[in-house]
Amino acid sequence: GQGQQRPSAPAANPAPSKPQQQNSNLAVAGPAAAPKYHAPSNQFGKASAPSSVKTPGGSQAKVVPIASLNPYQSKWTICARVTQKGQIRTWSNSRGEGKLFSIELVDESGEIRATAFNDQADKFFPLIELNKVYYFTKGILKTANKQYTAVKNDYEMTFTNETSVVPCDDAQHLPSVQFEFVSISDLENTPKDSIVDVIGICKSYEDVTKITVKANNREVSKRNVHLMDTSGKLVTATLWGSEAEQFDGSRQPVIAIKGARVSDFGGRSLSVLSSSTVVINPDSPEAFKLRGWYEFDSEGQLLECTSISDVRGGPASGVNTNWKTLFEAKSENLGQGDKADYFSCVGTVVHLRKENCMYQACPSQDCNKKVIDQQNGLYRCEKCDREFPNFKYRMMLLVTIADCLEYQWVTCFQESAEFILGQNAAFLGELKEKNEQAFEEVFQNANFNTYEFRIRVKLETYNDESRIKATAVDVKPVNYREYSKRLIASIRRNAQLG
């Protein structure tokens, strides 16, 4: 399931020590988890690993390529790099309970997924390290279930009591993670639940949030990151668990994801699974090309990206896309469909309606219903069916924003209104009661400031009259660097039309 973090290996790839043959099936123990994985360089052309290896029993075993493995073989040894290692997971059902963990293995011929259950899971999990190379001998091969993996192999491996794993010292030539990247623009036509590999620049990212998984009532961390490639399309990918908590997108890294699941929520989006592999700034031609295009190519610098996770019916929160002028939003009839539309704009506040901009609300944490003053020191919430000795102030501020062509009335709720006014609701409520002049000055000072607005528009009917209602989903300072890029790109497009 989602939310389970994979252990990762350090950026460097020091050569492991020489194998020490012992009674144990693995000679060198390593940590169960390590820092975030950064892919090593693919060093081709070096001496191959030995063509045979001694088994723990002392006999010689011939090393075969992963691509040659099939269920009809009983004795085989492969030399492979561990490119993905999942956490131990447990299950419990009518047939009993148990545990497992899975790894993905790569050599020069291909890749394969391997799973260890119960005793084998306890035995091998603390010993197998991500990005290290091992000899794997004996295991059961069966037809792979492609629903749960993006590994390109018709078979998958299961460890048994006879499986042995021995570190390999001379295999730096082996490749790291193997990707078959799909363009982000192609995801628009990719079926739901497909497993894909993608690579993109982290254009922006959101803060970590906590959600509760209904199946087991367990709380997990979640973070959305927004990836763009040379197609100019942007997709939202969701990270889970400690991977979400540890992610740092402040320098707009290149992110490669192997085995992400395609979702059709709000257009097309991606979810990183427990079987997925995430590589930050991979040492690969695709990553170098993408970084160069984004930082040094005029097309990459000026390209206005369009989100495929932000179509009619759902916003990609935390990232402003689908940029429009207010005139374009109106002329394109946004909000006139069955579902709400979302767009981003740069607008200047030209008027704020302070009348009825705040109300006394239920003090309960999850309730914002307006309370009724009982005139006896108590305030009644009809929704909670309770009376309280206090209340909290909530804001519902109407503002007029304008750009170079048009204006729009926009409703701003709590966070957006507080941001525009520069004060929290509790302070403003106290100011309104005690110092009307200072309250007025807050509104005057909020005029003629320019922001980036993320706006939801939807046709609503009230008293048999239909009109477009615009609501600010997000308000933040203008990123003038990105704004200038969009203006230059717009000037170039208009010049070509002229």
Side-chain angles (χ1 to χ4, degrees):
Q2 296 172 341
Q4 299 192 23
Q5 168 63 18
R6 300 170 295 292
S8 306
N13 184 28
S17 58
K18 293 279 185 181
Q20 301 293 322
Q21 297 301 328
Q22 300 175 352
N23 291 333
S24 168
N25 279 3
L26 186 65
V28 179
K36 179 169 283 295
Y37 169 38
H38 292 259
S41 299
N42 291 348
Q43 302 179 47
F44 295 98
K46 292 196 173 184
S48 299
S51 60
S52 64
V53 63
K54 280 189 176 181
T55 66
S59 61
Q60 290 281 338
K62 182 181 178 182
V63 175
V64 300
I66 286 176
S68 70
L69 294 178
N70 63 70
Y72 307 105
Q73 294 171 299
S74 58
K75 296 180 180 180
W76 47 260
T77 296
I78 60 171
C79 179
R81 186 186 301 278
V82 179
T83 58
Q84 196 273 332
K85 179 185 176 185
Q87 288 283 25
I88 286 185
R89 292 181 287 156
T90 59
W91 79 85
S92 178
N93 55 35
S94 58
R95 292 180 292 179
E97 52 186 41
K99 66 182 71 172
L100 65 88
F101 83 97
S102 296
I103 57 176
E104 291 177 11
L105 307 174
V106 167
D107 70 6
E108 290 173 309
S109 72
E111 57 186 348
I112 193 168
R113 187 170 188 248
T115 303
F117 292 88
N118 300 323
D119 292 344
Q120 279 71 43
D122 289 334
K123 177 180 180 179
F124 290 117
F125 184 82
L127 304 179
I128 294 176
E129 294 185 52
L130 187 66
N131 203 37
K132 295 291 180 68
V133 179
Y134 302 91
Y135 293 105
F136 295 85
T137 301
K138 290 189 178 181
I140 296 174
L141 293 161
K142 61 179 182 179
T143 303
N145 187 341
K146 296 300 182 71
Q147 181 181 353
Y148 300 108
T149 177
V151 173
K152 306 299 188 295
N153 199 315
D154 292 335
Y155 304 110
E156 58 188 16
M157 183 192 308
T158 301
F159 289 176
T160 69
N161 290 329
E162 296 184 321
T163 300
S164 72
V165 183
V166 177
C168 174
D169 182 39
D170 186 22
Q172 295 303 304
H173 66 289
L174 287 182
S176 55
V177 187
Q178 294 185 331
F179 295 96
E180 290 188 12
F181 293 121
V182 174
S183 171
I184 291 176
S185 62
D186 292 340
L187 295 178
E188 293 182 279
N189 300 314
T190 301
K192 176 180 179 289
D193 293 330
S194 297
I195 304 296
V196 297
D197 302 346
V198 296
I199 186 170
I201 292 282
C202 179
K203 189 75 173 173
S204 62
Y205 61 101
E206 300 173 27
D207 293 334
V208 173
T209 58
K210 298 282 188 180
I211 66 167
T212 301
V213 181
K214 291 182 179 179
N216 53 18
N217 204 33
R218 184 170 57 90
E219 188 178 73
V220 296
S221 298
K222 169 187 175 183
R223 185 198 296 267
N224 287 336
V225 298
H226 308 287
L227 307 179
M228 182 186 78
D229 66 9
T230 55
S231 69
K233 299 293 186 178
L234 182 140
V235 68
T236 299
T238 303
L239 305 178
W240 301 90
S242 57
E243 192 160 73
E245 295 167 358
Q246 296 167 9
F247 176 77
D248 179 10
S250 58
R251 296 194 173 188
Q252 294 190 309
V254 175
I255 302 176
I257 305 175
K258 180 180 178 64
R261 175 173 288 163
V262 178
S263 166
D264 62 356
F265 178 74
R268 282 291 184 270
S269 57
L270 299 172
S271 184
V272 174
L273 310 176
S274 61
S275 59
S276 304
T277 301
V278 179
V279 186
I280 307 299
N281 290 323
D283 188 0
S284 69
E286 296 92 344
F288 295 145
K289 180 181 177 182
L290 190 58
R291 172 61 68 191
W293 169 82
Y294 183 67
E295 292 190 349
F296 304 112
D297 189 292
S298 59
E299 179 190 359
Q301 291 177 337
L302 298 173
L303 186 64
E304 182 178 344
C305 63
T306 304
S307 176
I308 65 170
S309 306
D310 181 22
V311 296
R312 293 174 184 267
S317 62
V319 59
N320 283 353
T321 54
N322 195 25
W323 290 94
K324 305 283 184 186
T325 63
L326 295 174
F327 175 79
E328 287 172 335
K330 290 183 178 181
S331 62
E332 293 174 16
N333 295 319
L334 295 186
Q336 301 279 4
D338 294 334
K339 295 182 179 180
D341 288 330
Y342 296 81
F343 70 95
S344 300
C345 69
V346 173
T348 301
V349 176
V350 295
H351 178 71
L352 303 98
R353 182 184 291 175
K354 62 180 181 294
E355 293 80 20
N356 301 320
C357 68
M358 53 201 322
Y359 64 93
Q360 297 171 342
C362 177
S364 298
Q365 183 176 356
D366 298 322
C367 181
N368 296 320
K369 190 75 173 176
K370 187 175 182 178
V371 294
I372 302 169
D373 189 346
Q374 301 291 85
Q375 304 298 324
N376 60 357
L378 296 175
Y379 302 87
R380 177 170 178 77
C381 174
E382 294 291 344
K383 181 180 178 182
C384 298
D385 194 23
R386 286 182 57 191
E387 291 184 347
F388 300 91
N390 61 331
F391 59 85
K392 64 186 176 188
Y393 275 111
R394 294 288 299 177
M395 302 208 67
M396 190 170 66
L397 177 67
L398 272 176
V399 303
T400 305
I401 64 172
D403 60 14
C404 57
L405 295 172
E406 189 59 271
Y407 71 92
Q408 175 70 55
W409 279 100
V410 179
T411 301
C412 299
F413 290 100
Q414 192 80 353
E415 291 80 8
S416 299
E418 289 178 336
F419 183 82
I420 289 173
L421 295 173
Q423 303 289 349
N424 64 51
F427 176 79
L428 288 169
E430 185 179 351
L431 211 59
K432 184 178 181 182
E433 294 173 1
K434 297 180 179 179
N435 191 336
E436 185 70 28
Q437 182 178 351
F439 182 74
E440 291 270 357
E441 287 179 359
V442 170
F443 281 78
Q444 291 173 8
N445 293 336
N447 261 318
F448 305 111
N449 292 317
T450 303
Y451 305 101
E452 290 182 0
F453 289 87
R454 184 88 182 126
I455 296 177
R456 176 188 188 272
V457 284
K458 180 73 173 69
L459 187 66
E460 296 190 355
T461 303
Y462 183 72
N463 287 340
D464 296 327
E465 181 181 353
S466 297
R467 64 176 62 184
I468 292 289
K469 181 178 180 181
T471 304
V473 177
D474 188 30
V475 182
K476 55 188 178 185
V478 178
N479 183 332
Y480 283 100
R481 182 173 181 268
E482 296 296 323
Y483 184 37
S484 297
K485 285 184 180 180
R486 293 194 302 274
L487 289 176
I488 293 170
S490 180
I491 290 169
R492 289 182 174 178
R493 284 197 303 271
N494 290 331
Q496 291 172 352
L497 291 174

